[in-house]
């Protein structure tokens, strides 16, 4: 199987509110978390459609966790400088808690009773530390960061009969994820930041 050139088609779930007014960090985090989960599932479905094999529920959750870690650190970078450091930490913390609860519920459905939340959060924390060492080329992650992400996904899928995972992630899936996170933060965070006050005449 050669790398497929078709792009996944993913639309964000609702990121705009009907009622005007400021939104709490928790409300924004809930929307971001819901979209991160949706994007992860849609990328997974796109890879299945393109012929990649996920041989077990455990492999599926391992791959989804790598997707989520990549997406959340993208979101964290995207809000850098747009919120205070305290608000940024609070927002991302709420996003992680939202996703941990969602992943826990899904793993219990798939794998049965067990402790899932702590291992999920521990892995995300480990990945955040690793991703922190990469520089961005402008507003997008550079080649080393994309390569690291793709390799982690490939490692999670190593027990299956899958070739071209790294190429697929770097050339097809990751660019779409980067674009979606940028749009997500624009609509949930940047849109809620009041403009600076007009300059006073000197």
């Amino acid at each position: 199987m050669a790398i497929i050139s078709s792009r996944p088609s993913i639309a964000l779930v609702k990121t705009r509110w009907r009622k005007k007014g400021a939104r709490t960090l928790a409300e924004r985090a809930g929307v971001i978390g819901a979209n991160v989960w949706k994007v992860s599932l849609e990328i997974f479905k796109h890879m299945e459609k393109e012929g990649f094999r996920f041989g077990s529920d455990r492999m599926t959750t391992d791959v989804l966790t790598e997707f989520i870690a990549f997406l959340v650190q993208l979101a964290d970078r995207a809000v850098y400088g747009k919120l205070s450091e305290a608000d940024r930490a609070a927002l991302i913390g709420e996003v992680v808690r939202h996703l941990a609860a969602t992943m826990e519920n899904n793993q219990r459905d798939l794998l049965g009773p067990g402790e899932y939340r702590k291992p999920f959060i521990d892995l995300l924390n480990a990945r955040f530390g690793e991703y922190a060492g990469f520089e961005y080329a402008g507003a997008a992650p550079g080649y080393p960061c994309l390569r690291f992400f793709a390799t982690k996904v490939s490692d999670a899928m190593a027990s299956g009969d899958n070739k071209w995972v790294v190429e697929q992630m770097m050339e097809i899936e990751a660019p779409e994820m980067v674009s979606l996170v940028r749009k997500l933060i624009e609509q949930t965070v940047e849109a809620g930041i009041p403009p600076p006050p007009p300059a006073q005449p000197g």
Side-chain angles (χ1 to χ4, degrees):
M1 180 184 69
I3 186 169
I4 307 299
S5 60
S6 65
R7 294 280 183 187
S9 178
I10 303 172
L12 295 174
V13 296
K14 180 181 174 183
T15 57
R16 301 183 187 278
W17 291 271
R18 290 182 181 178
K19 295 181 180 179
K20 294 183 179 181
R23 301 296 162 183
T24 67
L25 286 176
E27 287 175 318
R28 297 182 197 184
V31 173
I32 293 169
N35 276 283
V36 166
W37 181 257
K38 182 195 175 184
V39 170
S40 298
L41 287 179
E42 291 300 321
I43 294 292
F44 166 78
K45 291 175 184 177
H46 183 254
M47 291 183 70
E48 274 196 319
K49 180 180 176 182
E50 302 297 0
F52 291 92
R53 298 287 173 257
F54 301 86
S56 68
D57 291 336
R58 174 66 67 183
M59 180 190 290
T60 297
T61 57
D62 287 348
V63 170
L64 286 174
T65 300
E66 294 295 346
F67 290 173
I68 290 168
F70 181 65
L71 288 163
V72 174
Q73 68 87 25
L74 288 176
D76 185 42
R77 296 224 187 188
V79 300
Y80 179 78
K82 298 178 175 64
L83 297 174
S84 69
E85 282 302 296
D87 282 352
R88 174 189 171 201
L91 178 75
I92 298 303
E94 284 294 327
V95 170
V96 170
R97 280 188 282 276
H98 176 95
L99 288 162
T102 303
M103 178 62 84
E104 182 179 50
N105 290 335
N106 279 267
Q107 285 183 297
R108 284 178 175 169
D109 289 343
L110 290 172
L111 307 173
E115 171 54 55
Y116 300 112
R117 187 176 298 229
K118 186 177 185 301
F120 174 80
I121 293 175
D122 287 347
L123 188 139
L124 260 59
N125 284 332
R127 290 290 179 268
F128 295 163
E130 292 164 324
Y131 280 120
F134 295 105
E135 294 184 359
Y136 270 35
Y143 178 89
C145 180
L146 294 178
R147 181 81 186 183
F148 175 83
F149 166 57
T151 300
K152 290 302 178 185
V153 175
S154 180
D155 289 347
M157 297 176 65
S159 61
D161 182 19
N162 294 293
K163 298 179 181 179
W164 313 108
V165 175
V166 170
E167 291 84 354
Q168 181 77 16
M169 297 313 303
M170 293 186 68
E171 298 184 27
I172 304 298
E173 313 298 348
E176 185 70 10
M177 297 165 92
V178 171
S179 175
L180 287 165
V181 168
R182 185 179 298 122
K183 183 184 299 184
L184 176 60
I185 296 305
E186 286 174 358
Q187 294 181 4
T188 58
V189 176
E190 293 180 29
I193 299 175
Q200 297 297 320

